[in-house]
Amino acid sequence: MITLYKYGCPAGVDTPDISPFVVKLETWLRMSGIPYETRTGTRHDMPKGKLPAVRIDGQLMADSSSIIGHLQQSDPRALRDTHLDPLQRAQAEAIKALVESQLYFVGVYQRWCVDDAFARYQPLLLDYAKRSAPAWQRPLVPMIAPAILPLIRRRMMRQAWQQGIARHHEDEVLAIGRNGVQALTTLLGRQDYLFGDKPSTVDASAFGQLHALVRHPFPGPLQDFARAQPELMAYHDRIWQRYWSDFGRA
């Protein structure tokens, strides 16, 4: 059994995790039919200081793409994209870059650099902090969070500046996000999945970022724009209904 270490999400929030990369990996595991169990992860205990991470045969590993690559080599159940030809594989890499770089960093900007969105993000971060802390520390989390969260926010805003997305005006970031959403919509067209009637690994990548955009509690013009694309929302809902029908039934 694979153990998946994740952030999780508070009850009542319509998503399995606050991280699009956790949703990506978990969706890929479901597409592959590989069973797993989940636990709240503590980042500083994980390889590379990242979540998601997994424990497979006693070995801890992090990074969603590295984990998928490992399982594609070692587990016969893994979704391997053998139905894609060389051109489609190259296109899949380009789409992955679109969603995991361009759209992801737009999401980083929205969560950490926009005041209203960060105010909505704080309860999710506080929930994770409580669940990931040792039991004896949990009562202290609400008391120290007002001092710690602004420091974390400044660090993330600095990273967004260094990456480049935070050097743009908010309207420019919105335009970058809209262009990315429109490109993904055009690439999808009326297909069930990005490369026809069968899912590929890149569909898990796209779903993770799209799900964060349309389901996470950060309303705004970009979320409205994505939700107004009928083919894109049908794609999201198709994957959600097929692979996440059990969500919230525990």
Side-chain angles (χ1 to χ4, degrees):
M1 175 68 73
I2 293 172
T3 301
L4 169 63
Y5 295 94
K6 56 189 288 186
Y7 294 97
C9 215
V13 179
D14 194 17
T15 180
D17 204 90
I18 61 175
S19 165
F21 291 101
V22 171
V23 176
K24 164 197 170 179
L25 178 57
E26 206 165 349
T27 300
W28 182 86
L29 289 168
R30 289 167 176 250
M31 287 176 168
S32 298
I34 298 175
Y36 63 95
E37 61 182 9
T38 62
R39 294 182 186 174
T40 300
T42 304
R43 288 181 57 182
H44 61 73
D45 292 336
M46 297 297 151
K48 305 180 183 180
K50 296 178 67 175
L51 293 174
V54 297
R55 187 181 297 276
I56 305 173
D57 299 327
Q59 179 185 358
L60 266 177
M61 62 181 68
D63 183 83
S64 59
S65 293
S66 297
I67 294 165
I68 288 171
H70 173 82
L71 289 169
Q72 286 174 330
Q73 292 180 0
S74 63
D75 194 317
R77 298 166 295 184
L79 177 63
R80 284 184 170 77
D81 299 343
T82 53
H83 57 291
L84 301 184
D85 63 32
L87 176 59
Q88 289 173 323
R89 288 173 182 268
Q91 291 169 333
E93 284 297 314
I95 296 171
K96 180 182 175 184
L98 167 68
V99 297
E100 294 192 1
S101 293
Q102 182 171 325
L103 288 180
Y104 169 70
F105 281 108
V106 168
V108 167
Y109 177 91
Q110 290 183 319
R111 293 177 189 223
W112 295 98
C113 301
V114 178
D115 291 341
D116 289 347
F118 183 71
R120 290 175 173 270
Y121 199 25
Q122 287 188 75
L124 279 66
L125 297 171
L126 184 60
D127 172 79
Y128 168 67
K130 289 178 180 177
R131 287 184 290 101
S132 62
W136 68 271
Q137 292 182 0
R138 289 172 191 168
L140 304 176
V141 169
M143 292 183 281
I144 63 174
I148 298 299
L149 283 177
L151 297 177
I152 297 173
R153 186 188 187 193
R154 283 199 291 272
R155 185 182 69 197
M156 293 301 300
M157 291 174 71
R158 185 165 59 249
Q159 290 180 10
W161 177 267
Q162 291 168 344
Q163 188 274 336
I165 192 70
R167 297 170 189 256
H168 298 292
H169 186 273
E170 188 172 347
D171 289 343
E172 294 174 312
V173 177
L174 174 60
I176 293 169
R178 281 178 170 164
N179 288 342
V181 169
Q182 185 59 64
L184 186 61
T185 302
T186 301
L187 288 163
L188 174 66
R190 297 183 179 275
Q191 302 175 105
D192 284 351
Y193 299 98
L194 284 162
F195 290 100
D197 60 359
K198 295 176 62 176
S200 308
T201 299
V202 71
D203 288 294
S205 296
F207 177 79
Q209 302 298 327
L210 179 60
H211 182 80
L213 175 57
V214 302
R215 282 285 185 91
H216 286 191
F218 305 115
L222 186 57
Q223 187 177 84
D224 292 343
F225 181 76
R227 287 179 172 180
Q229 311 305 312
E231 290 86 2
L232 199 61
M233 289 306 301
Y235 170 74
H236 171 276
D237 295 348
R238 185 179 304 115
I239 293 175
W240 181 256
Q241 291 161 10
R242 181 167 183 179
Y243 298 105
W244 287 97
S245 61
D246 62 331
F247 179 75
R249 293 183 182 178

